[in-house]
Amino acid sequence: MQCIQRQPKKNKSEENVLQENIRKVARENRERLGLQDDEDLQFLLKGSKLHKVKSKSWKKLRFYKLQDDCETIWHESKKLLSSPDKHTFSIQDIEEVRPGRQSEGLQKNARDLPDGCCFSIFFKGQRKNLDLVASTEKEAMQWVTGLKKVIRLSDNLNSKQKQEHWIYSCLRKADTNSDNKMTFKELKHFLGEINVKVDDLYAEKLFNECDTSHSKTLEGSEIEEFYKRLTYRNEIEVIYSKYASSKGKMSVEDLGNFLRMEQREDVGLNEAVALIQKYELDEAAKEKKLMSRDGFLMYLQSSDGLVLNPRHTLVYQDMSQPLNHYFISSSHNTYLMEDQLKGPSSTEAYVRALTKGCRCVELDCWDGPNGDPVIYHGYTLTSKILFKDVIETVKEYAFKNSEYPVVLSLETHCSMDQQKVMAHHMKTILGSMLLTAPLGGKMPTHFPSPEQLKGKILVKGKKLQLQDHSMTSPESLQGEEKESVSEEDEAADLPEVKDKPKKSKLKLARELSDLVVFCKSVHFPDFETARETQAFYEMSSFGESKAFKLAQESANRFVIHNTRQLSRTYPRGTRTDSSNYNPVDLWNAGCQIVALNFQTSDKSMDLNQGKFQQNGFSGYILKPRFMRDGQTQFNPTSIMQGEWLTPKKLHVMIISGQQLPKENKNKNNSVVDPLVRIEISGVPRDVCSAETEHIEDNGFNPSWNKNFQFDICVPELALVRFVVEDHDTASRNDFVAQYTLPFMSLQNGYRHVPLLTKEGNPIASSSIFIHIMVVDQ
């Protein structure tokens, strides 16, 4: 084993300089966040000992503190030979901080500890949450309040501040002896940190040009000059210089010309003045109504300059149409965190789905111990969670990100007694949130709208025939306790499970049946029978194979069926790894509830997230008019003349990339060879893709300048996905990042595309710069 090399011991003078530099960095970061005199931040920087809880018997005391960069939490670890990265996590990785026992782990393992001393840190992606217990309630509250402040203020930093912070964090990491100076060796290390590889001659040339003091190190203004050279973007300079006619700066008229000519925005001078006031950093230039290069870059990297139309980040669609006229973001086997056979079930999976905009969640309900129903994937080894806990979680998170209705899709296998317990839990926990009768007390002739159902939770499930609102009055139900209905059993489709029962009849409790109003589950006979005999509120669930068969062989009839009734689709039982099908073909057929495994990060979930990020992330997308017309002739598999045919030509220029993430962050010499692929999804006629060549050894500022053209015939159903991959000649390319959005949400002109991780989370300061032009054909 190689010996660990010790750093040479610093003398007292060097140690004083080092400590002063550390204090200076901390002071600058506090000022950047606007928390110079904040007590909670001071507490986090000082740190404290907390009990980390993993189980009832594993509660270890560990020291935690916010590092001086105000972006990284350092924690003590007793593991031998663990890498430094294992001792830290970034503020950017935190999804949520919850006070008290609000995690499954603390509820199970810390019941004997004061609730006020407990708190949990939940992370983005698949990382397990961190359960912690402070010594006092005041200390726990300081951690919770302080972390929330830092997260909020970090998220609110502008693009320039985020970029500077990221680069200076990498500089500090490369500064191995923490003397605030950079040697040539440290510069090489820094270039590896920011994902760029250059030959030694170029690196030495850059170093010597910035080393004006000839001290063989860079410090102070020399590091600032190095930063300026590193972040200089020639493509922005070219665009800016073309329009900046007022002594090297953009006047209001210049900016207005740019917005109209390049961005194709119908704006006047007032809008140009507003952008200058919003994004210009130089107060003197702002006073003169001028925009500098830095202000111009700030605009291009802001929400106004992104590829997604900022108006579509709000609820902009008509929300007063019947519920079945919307695509609804939907989850399959929502309770699962991993695979379908042995993976854990968790209430946290519902939290993640609901906070991602999901509006239809699934509950597979089975008899549990002590008369309390449980949820799990039947006939498998997946773990079990209490039905009651799930309903409490739904109540807490259903309307945090969207005020529009949530559908609880019940798959019930419980006995009569436990069905009554299910009904009791839903009524007592959800209270007025739960829809238990038609609006106004009388069953209408069509669905109410998402607007009318705001803040309501609907139950989808089996219903006793005699309780059908359109056939019977409540008085005639007296004494009618039960009836056999067919079981809707996805789990029984699993081929690996032995001794699984055949689909059987289920005795249904009246109390549970009462709660089903607008989403009555029924068997799908065929389109003609459904049209003639089924009510609008009766809906069917289609397995993947059946759904795709109908979408391919009877597409128009499927579209027409979905103008009147709701349809739910779900992955086939053989997808035991929780993989997903392509949802686009089923959306094309008008299916509203296309359920996906939200726990799996893949292209299908990218498409789902991309489609539903419009309309204010509400989880509801209004279907095109031609998919709401009961007489429509639209057939996605055979595009003929009609209102849906509005051909567009999409011109895309992939110009450059900015601060692409490293694939292997632990290896300094691991640098990506990035390429960008553009993928069009939609009706089969529109599906296509094209990609750039790869750029070797540069993930920091690669440049492509590659033009592409795509013909789109049904733009209202098209999605555009930008994928960045690390080219590999010997094997399959590695995924780096992606971003997906609806074609109709594209903004013309020079735009930045903000990149997302595989799990769909934003990557700070990482983007590709493109030019978009959509032309009518």
Side-chain angles (χ1 to χ4, degrees), residues 196-197 671-674 693-699 702 704 727 729:
V196 62
K197 184 177 181 180
V671 176
V672 299
D673 303 327
E693 295 179 347
H694 70 276
I695 304 296
E696 289 193 7
D697 293 334
N698 189 351
W704 292 280
H727 176 74
T729 55

Side-chain angles (χ1 to χ4, degrees), residues 218-255:
L218 303 183
E219 56 183 307
S221 61
E222 295 172 332
I223 292 179
E224 290 181 15
E225 176 61 25
F226 173 71
Y227 169 79
K228 287 178 183 177
R229 293 190 182 210
L230 193 68
T231 56
Y232 174 76
R233 290 180 59 182
N234 184 64
E235 72 274 28
I236 302 297
E237 179 67 29
V238 170
I239 301 165
Y240 182 81
S241 299
K242 180 180 176 181
Y243 286 91
S245 63
S246 302
K247 297 182 180 179
K249 284 188 169 58
M250 273 189 178
S251 65
V252 173
E253 292 77 12
D254 293 337
L255 181 57

Side-chain angles (χ1 to χ4, degrees), residues 72-96:
T72 309
I73 299 291
W74 180 91
H75 56 91
E76 181 184 8
S77 175
K78 300 295 186 181
K79 290 182 180 178
L80 294 175
L81 303 177
S82 61
S83 67
D85 288 343
K86 298 294 185 182
H87 293 256
T88 62
F89 59 85
S90 171
I91 291 291
Q92 297 291 327
D93 293 334
I94 298 176
E95 181 74 48
E96 186 183 8

Side-chain angles (χ1 to χ4, degrees), residues 340 493-496 544-545 571-579:
Q340 308 278 316
D493 294 336
L494 286 169
E496 289 82 357
E544 173 185 343
S545 300
R572 65 177 184 267
T574 53
R575 292 185 181 272
T576 56
D577 59 351
S578 293
S579 60

Side-chain angles (χ1 to χ4, degrees), residues 89-302:
F89 59 85
S90 171
I91 291 291
Q92 297 291 327
D93 293 334
I94 298 176
E95 181 74 48
E96 186 183 8
V97 183
R98 296 185 206 162
R101 287 191 294 266
Q102 291 198 61
S103 72
E104 287 183 339
L106 287 176
Q107 289 169 9
K108 181 180 178 181
N109 303 316
R111 289 191 176 276
D112 57 330
L113 299 172
D115 183 72
C117 294
C118 301
F119 67 99
S120 298
I121 298 174
F122 290 81
F123 297 96
K124 298 171 183 176
Q126 301 300 317
R127 181 171 178 172
K128 291 182 180 179
N129 56 288
L130 184 59
D131 291 329
L132 299 167
V133 181
S135 57
T136 66
E137 291 188 5
K138 180 183 177 183
E139 184 181 335
M141 188 51 61
Q142 279 187 294
W143 271 103
V144 172
T145 306
L147 285 172
K148 286 185 175 181
K149 281 182 184 177
V150 175
I151 293 167
R152 184 182 71 253
L153 293 168
S154 294
D155 288 342
N156 290 337
L157 293 176
N158 63 47
S159 56
K160 182 177 174 64
Q161 290 171 319
K162 286 180 180 178
Q163 182 189 56
E164 287 178 349
H165 179 73
W166 179 78
I167 289 178
Y168 277 106
S169 294
C170 292
L171 280 168
R172 284 193 296 275
K173 192 172 180 180
D175 183 13
T176 52
N177 61 356
S178 302
D179 63 355
N180 269 20
K181 298 178 183 180
M182 187 184 296
T183 64
F184 178 69
K185 183 179 179 181
E186 289 172 335
L187 178 134
K188 288 275 290 179
H189 180 70
F190 165 74
L191 292 174
E193 284 291 331
I194 64 168
N195 207 4
V196 62
K197 184 177 181 180
V198 298
D199 62 58
D200 287 350
L201 290 176
Y202 176 77
E204 190 172 6
K205 179 176 180 291
L206 181 64
F207 183 89
N208 290 334
E209 287 174 353
C210 295
D211 182 20
T212 54
S213 64
H214 306 294
S215 62
K216 302 297 183 185
T217 60
L218 303 183
E219 56 183 307
S221 61
E222 295 172 332
I223 292 179
E224 290 181 15
E225 176 61 25
F226 173 71
Y227 169 79
K228 287 178 183 177
R229 293 190 182 210
L230 193 68
T231 56
Y232 174 76
R233 290 180 59 182
N234 184 64
E235 72 274 28
I236 302 297
E237 179 67 29
V238 170
I239 301 165
Y240 182 81
S241 299
K242 180 180 176 181
Y243 286 91
S245 63
S246 302
K247 297 182 180 179
K249 284 188 169 58
M250 273 189 178
S251 65
V252 173
E253 292 77 12
D254 293 337
L255 181 57
N257 288 336
F258 169 78
L259 294 172
R260 287 186 294 273
M261 298 291 291
E262 299 290 354
Q263 310 296 74
R264 293 294 193 265
E265 294 181 21
D266 184 17
V267 298
L269 295 182
N270 289 338
E271 287 86 354
V273 170
L275 287 177
I276 291 173
Q277 293 300 313
K278 190 174 182 179
Y279 297 115
E280 181 52 53
L281 302 171
D282 186 332
E283 290 299 327
K286 188 185 293 187
E287 187 72 24
K288 296 176 183 178
K289 297 182 179 176
L290 297 173
M291 181 172 268
S292 66
R293 288 172 177 79
D294 284 345
F296 183 64
L297 181 56
M298 280 286 293
Y299 152 70
L300 286 175
Q301 293 177 323
S302 72

